[in-house]
Amino acid sequence: MPSEQVENYLKNIYKLQTVEEKVTTSLLSEKLEISSASVSEMIKKLAEEGTLKHTPYKGVELTKEGEKLALKIIRRHRLWEMFLVQVLHFQWDEIDEEAEKFEHIMSQKMEDKIDKVLHYPTMDPHGDPIPQRNGTIKPNSAYPLSDAKKSTTVRVVRVSDTSSELLQYLSSVGIVLHKKIFVKECLRFDNSLIIKIHGQKEITISNKIAMNIFVEKI
Amino acid sequence: MPSEQVENYLKNIYKLQTVEEKVTTSLLSEKLEISSASVSEMIKKLAEEGTLKHTPYKGVELTKEGEKLALKIIRRHRLWEMFLVQVLHFQWDEIDEEAEKFEHIMSQKMEDKIDKVLHYPTMDPHGDPIPQRNGTIKPNSAYPLSDAKKSTTVRVVRVSDTSSELLQYLSSVGIVLHKKIFVKECLRFDNSLIIKIHGQKEITISNKIAMNIFVEKI
DNA sequence: TTTATAGTTTAGGTTAACCTAAACTATAAA
DNA sequence: TTTATAGTTTAGGTTAACCTAAACTATAAA
């Protein structure tokens, strides 16, 4: 049974691997806000335990075993988020922090009960896929709104879940999961987007915000 | 914010105080399964922090502050137990262990949401009173079935929650909360009780089991 | 080919909570 | 009044996860 801290390392390595080509100890250090000396020590320990491989200067890579553990934690995190929203009526910007704690103490029985009560969901409230019990995860084909072409209509399928401020802002302007968005214009100056949200009037959003909204072509 | 371990000390001291006249470091050591040297150290620390007073050889006593913290944990434990049974459909013998973990990481917001979903319950699934948000707790007037007089009828209002084996056994013979029990006979030999459970046939239960079932006169 | 920089590791230290072994001391029973 | 016992504390040690400061080294740009 890995410790809470070990679980956090594995989870973050997994997530970083989907975004960055190299997951170095120093990148991890930055993400986890732990000194690189400490990360280095921990990586050494995890490599000895067989959950990952570290090639210095090339980055770490989870083993089958490590990936399985990481997906377990991510599954618990996302199931719990879904539960917070659907059963306890939390807002979507309040749940990430809560789930950070609960993901580590959920027993298998608990996981199964929640899965059942929610009717075996496949997405969490931000549109992230929930890994299944057998460890499979549906890759998300969505791309950031910032990459959408001018004059196209897209549908919001996922939103970055790490900033509750962002989530609050999106709710306030009416950007929620499954909304249709028409991309009217992209300003050359700073890549701001002028968009029209289905059933509402036009607004302008910054490039940084657009990078955190994931969409699919309709 | 007290650590998980500190919370466990405070909770157990509170519970022991309701049962024993003296809560000594060695009694705590036994309950918590921690060496008395370690308990002694921790008690010293807690006394310095002002959550309890220790008079060597006389036992510890929680301060107002300490009692408040203890009741908070007990409230979270029992609310969570109730939630596990009512919302996630756990059996009453599976919940104590789960709640032991969750009681420490429940935020105020979480506590309030659960309280609301359950419609502000006053009892947990074993019949133990749930402390209210303001820190009041309804004292339980029940007494153990082992003290019930011969030829009286009583009602089960609470059951000791610490052994899941006991709870399973009680379910299997039909002893659940609010059941009426007629005490037919008490065997001199070992204080076994011959009882008739309302709507069922007579059974005999040991004194030890009877001590863990709490009843009220009808 | 050199060298700055990014990435990594080592050395030495801290903290909270635990441990065993041994010494101490108040209380209650003889 | 003595003394066994229950209760307590001290001394010295461990472990996991963290830290800073300093040294080391592969890679990529000059």
Side-chain angles (χ1 to χ4, degrees), chain A:
Chain A
M1 183 96 322
S3 76
E4 187 166 327
Q5 214 40 274
V6 164
E7 291 183 346
N8 273 331
Y9 274 88
L10 295 175
K11 181 184 71 174
N12 281 286
I13 291 168
Y14 182 91
K15 285 192 181 177
L16 286 172
Q17 273 184 345
T18 65
V19 186
E20 319 271 343
E21 341 80 276
K22 288 202 310 185
V23 180
T24 60
T25 51
S26 37
L27 179 63
L28 264 172
S29 161
E30 199 185 311
K31 264 286 161 186
L32 295 167
E33 296 184 288
I34 290 171
S35 76
S36 33
S38 300
V39 170
S40 178
E41 257 177 28
M42 182 59 107
I43 290 301
K44 197 175 145 198
K45 194 188 119 188
L46 293 179
E48 273 162 16
E49 287 174 5
T51 45
L52 56 76
K53 265 176 140 167
H54 182 216
T55 320
Y57 303 90
K58 300 278 183 186
V60 299
E61 203 180 355
L62 293 180
T63 60
K64 268 266 161 61
E65 163 84 357
E67 189 173 304
K68 209 176 129 197
L69 287 168
L71 283 169
K72 192 84 186 165
I73 303 305
I74 292 172
R75 169 168 166 80
R76 289 180 175 176
H77 183 99
R78 294 185 180 161
L79 272 178
W80 188 250
E81 283 194 336
M82 203 60 181
F83 185 75
L84 288 176
V85 167
Q86 302 221 320
V87 178
L88 292 175
H89 312 299
F90 275 74
Q91 301 297 311
W92 79 344
D93 58 284
E94 306 172 312
I95 57 183
D96 190 64
E97 203 188 339
E98 290 280 347
E100 286 295 322
K101 299 179 288 181
F102 284 88
E103 64 190 10
H104 303 293
I105 59 168
M106 247 195 258
S107 64
Q108 186 59 55
K109 199 181 272 173
M110 187 82 190
E111 180 189 316
D112 294 342
K113 296 267 188 188
I114 287 184
D115 201 20
K116 188 175 175 190
V117 164
L118 297 174
H119 303 104
Y120 312 101
T122 56
M123 292 277 177
D124 82 2
H126 308 105
D128 284 306
I130 296 174
Q132 298 304 294
R133 260 201 82 159
N134 61 24
T136 56
I137 186 169
K138 204 168 43 178
N140 212 313
S141 64
Y143 53 92
L145 178 57
S146 50
D147 291 354
K149 293 210 190 71
K150 188 177 151 173
S151 303
T152 55
T153 298
V154 294
R155 171 175 281 123
V156 176
V157 295
R158 181 163 77 82
V159 155
S160 168
D161 62 355
T162 39
S163 160
S164 68
E165 219 191 330
L166 171 68
L167 292 169
Q168 275 162 29
Y169 170 74
L170 295 180
S171 305
S172 77
V173 298
I175 298 177
V176 294
L177 283 194
H178 311 306
K179 255 293 166 191
K180 280 189 213 164
I181 291 179
F182 175 69
V183 182
K184 194 178 173 200
E185 191 73 57
C186 179
L187 303 183
R188 276 280 188 78
F189 174 62
D190 66 345
N191 292 311
S192 284
L193 288 183
I194 301 176
I195 60 176
K196 179 157 182 338
I197 301 160
H198 188 73
Q200 287 167 250
K201 59 185 181 130
E202 279 177 30
I203 60 167
T204 305
I205 59 172
S206 76
N207 176 254
K208 182 149 185 207
I209 286 178
M211 288 198 310
N212 285 283
I213 300 169
F214 296 85
V215 298
E216 268 175 10
K217 232 187 204 130
I218 298 190

Side-chain angles (χ1 to χ4, degrees), chain B residues 62-113:
Chain B
L62 293 180
T63 60
K64 268 266 161 61
E65 162 85 357
E67 190 174 303
K68 210 176 129 195
L69 287 168
L71 284 169
K72 193 82 187 166
I73 303 307
I74 292 171
R75 170 168 166 80
R76 289 178 175 177
H77 183 101
R78 294 186 180 160
L79 272 178
W80 189 250
E81 284 195 335
M82 202 63 181
F83 186 76
L84 288 176
V85 167
Q86 301 221 319
V87 178
L88 292 176
H89 312 298
F90 275 74
Q91 301 297 310
W92 79 343
D93 58 283
E94 307 172 310
I95 56 183
D96 190 63
E97 203 188 339
E98 290 280 347
E100 286 295 321
K101 298 180 287 181
F102 284 87
E103 65 191 8
H104 303 295
I105 59 167
M106 247 197 257
S107 65
Q108 186 59 56
K109 199 181 272 172
M110 187 81 190
E111 180 190 316
D112 294 342
K113 295 267 190 190

